[in-house]
């Protein structure tokens, strides 16, 4: 069984530990030459540094309650505080927590949390930030922040889901990936590395920018010169589209104006895409449908000078 299929089998096994699955995926990323994929796996395994970009699924909501004391011995206990007020007076990061801990730490928190319960976070600094701003005549004595246990479970599920989606897309769009096995490794081909990088960027972070990945960290950019059909053709071909199709798309793009920067294509390009995207699904293009859609959109945005 290939390494990719071992990962798929493991991720579909109910209750399987994500640690060994991520280690296998890290090896696969190294064998196919995808630095962004390897970096994502490393961050999930070891935690995200402060300067690392977080995927959307690692931002989780925080709710707050507080105790207040007022004149004549009156008080308010466990009063919910509006997220709007917390964001207004303390900043968005207080209501949208960045979960940078490793997936193992997330699992540990889930194990130790009561089912259906919440996890507390240190919110002592909010006492001064909210003082006199929630109930003007009452003093804020304490603030408690909590994260739903379900939000942590969602992170774990999101990682499992992305591992499966990544391997399925790699199997379809990067033929070299399905042939990787534990043992002596061949050098990855440039097209395979580029395609794997695009797939990882799209599935993990939900955006495509693209194709040069060198050094310790990936440098990703759309290499299309505005209003240059040749550079558009070269970019699309390098991204996995058949050259004849890339030339045809570039010719159509040059013959008409886009409708807007939100929809960077005219009627001929749109009709062409409807007819030809099936080539991505069938494997004729070396990229899946989701990646192909974003590749073409980003390339056209750059070609028409919108980016």
């Amino acid at each position: 069984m290939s390494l990719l299929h071992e990962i798929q089998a493991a991720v579909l096994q109910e209750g399987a530990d994500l640690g060994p699955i991520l280690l296998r995926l890290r090896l696969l990323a190294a064998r196919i030459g995808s630095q962004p994929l390897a970096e994502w796996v490393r961050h999930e395994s070891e935690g995200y540094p402060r300067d690392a970009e977080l995927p959307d699924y690692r931002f989780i909501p925080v709710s707050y309650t507080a105790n207040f004391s007022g004149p004549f011995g009156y008080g308010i206990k466990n009063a919910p505080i509006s997220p709007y007020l917390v964001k207004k007076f303390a900043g968005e990061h207080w209501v949208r927590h960045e979960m940078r801990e490793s997936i193992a730490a997330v699992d540990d928190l889930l194990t130790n949390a009561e089912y259906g319960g919440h996890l507390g976070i240190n919110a002592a600094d909010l006492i001064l930030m909210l003082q006199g701003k929630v109930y003007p005549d009452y003093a804020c004595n304490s603030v408690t922040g909590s994260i739903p246990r379900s939000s942590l479970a969602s992170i774990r599920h999101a990682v499992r889901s992305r591992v499966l989606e990544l391997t399925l897309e790699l199997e379809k769009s990067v033929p070299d990936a399905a042939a990787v096995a534990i043992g002596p490794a061949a050098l990855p081909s440039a097209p395979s590395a580029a395609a794997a990088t695009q797939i990882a960027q799209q599935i993990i972070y939900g955006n495509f920018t693209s194709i040069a990945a060198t050094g310790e960290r990936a440098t990703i950019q759309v290499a299309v010169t505005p209003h240059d059909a040749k550079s558009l053709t070269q970019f699309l071909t390098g991204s996995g589209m058949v050259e004849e199709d890339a030339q045809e798309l570039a010719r159509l793009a040059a013959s008409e104006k886009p409708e807007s920067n939100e929809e960077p294509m005219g009627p001929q390009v749109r009709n062409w895409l409807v007819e030809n995207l099936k080539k991505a699904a069938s494997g004729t293009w070396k990229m899946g449908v989701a990646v192909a859609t974003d590749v073409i959109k980003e390339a056209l945005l750059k070609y028409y000078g919108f980016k």
Side-chain angles (χ1 to χ4, degrees), residues 110-121:
L110 272 169
T111 300
N112 292 307
E114 294 183 4
Y115 184 78
H118 292 70
L119 296 169
I121 66 169

Side-chain angles (χ1 to χ4, degrees), residues 1-10 28 167 171 177-180:
M1 184 183 295
S2 71
L3 183 58
L4 184 143
H5 293 140
E6 285 183 14
I7 295 169
Q8 291 175 341
L28 178 64
T167 57
E171 184 177 26
V180 173

Side-chain angles (χ1 to χ4, degrees), residues 2 11 15 28 51 80 108 117 126 145 147 155 160 167 196 210 213 216 224 249 268 278 280 290:
S2 71
V11 81
L28 178 64
D51 60 344
D108 187 61
L126 274 181
I147 295 171
I155 291 176
R160 293 179 70 91
T167 57
S210 127
E216 176 64 22
V224 175
L249 179 56
Q268 292 186 84
K278 58 188 177 184

Side-chain angles (χ1 to χ4, degrees), residues 67-204:
N67 293 329
F68 300 89
S69 60
F72 309 111
Y74 289 102
I76 305 173
K77 292 187 176 181
N78 297 322
I81 304 177
S82 165
Y84 170 80
L85 292 178
V86 176
K87 181 178 177 180
K88 179 180 178 180
F89 296 117
E92 184 178 9
H93 65 281
W94 281 96
V95 295
R96 193 167 181 254
H97 180 68
E98 297 181 357
M99 196 69 182
R100 293 185 174 272
E101 287 76 7
S102 68
I103 197 67
V106 172
D107 281 342
D108 187 61
L109 289 171
L110 272 169
T111 300
N112 292 307
E114 294 183 4
Y115 184 78
H118 292 70
L119 296 169
I121 66 169
N122 185 357
D125 290 344
L126 274 181
I127 296 175
L128 292 177
M129 296 181 190
L130 298 178
Q131 198 65 251
K133 296 172 182 174
V134 180
Y135 299 102
D137 297 327
Y138 285 71
C140 181
N141 299 322
S142 65
V143 180
T144 301
S146 62
I147 295 171
R149 183 184 185 277
S150 59
S151 293
L152 299 178
S154 294
I155 291 176
R156 183 167 63 182
H157 178 75
V159 173
R160 293 179 70 91
S161 176
R162 278 161 176 74
V163 170
L164 180 59
E165 189 175 357
L166 278 163
T167 57
L168 290 173
E169 193 67 36
L170 288 171
E171 184 177 26
K172 179 172 61 177
S173 303
V174 184
D176 292 350
V180 173
I182 296 176
L187 291 176
S189 66
S192 293
T197 293
Q198 294 166 12
I199 290 166
Q201 191 73 18
Q202 170 65 23
I203 291 174
I204 296 167

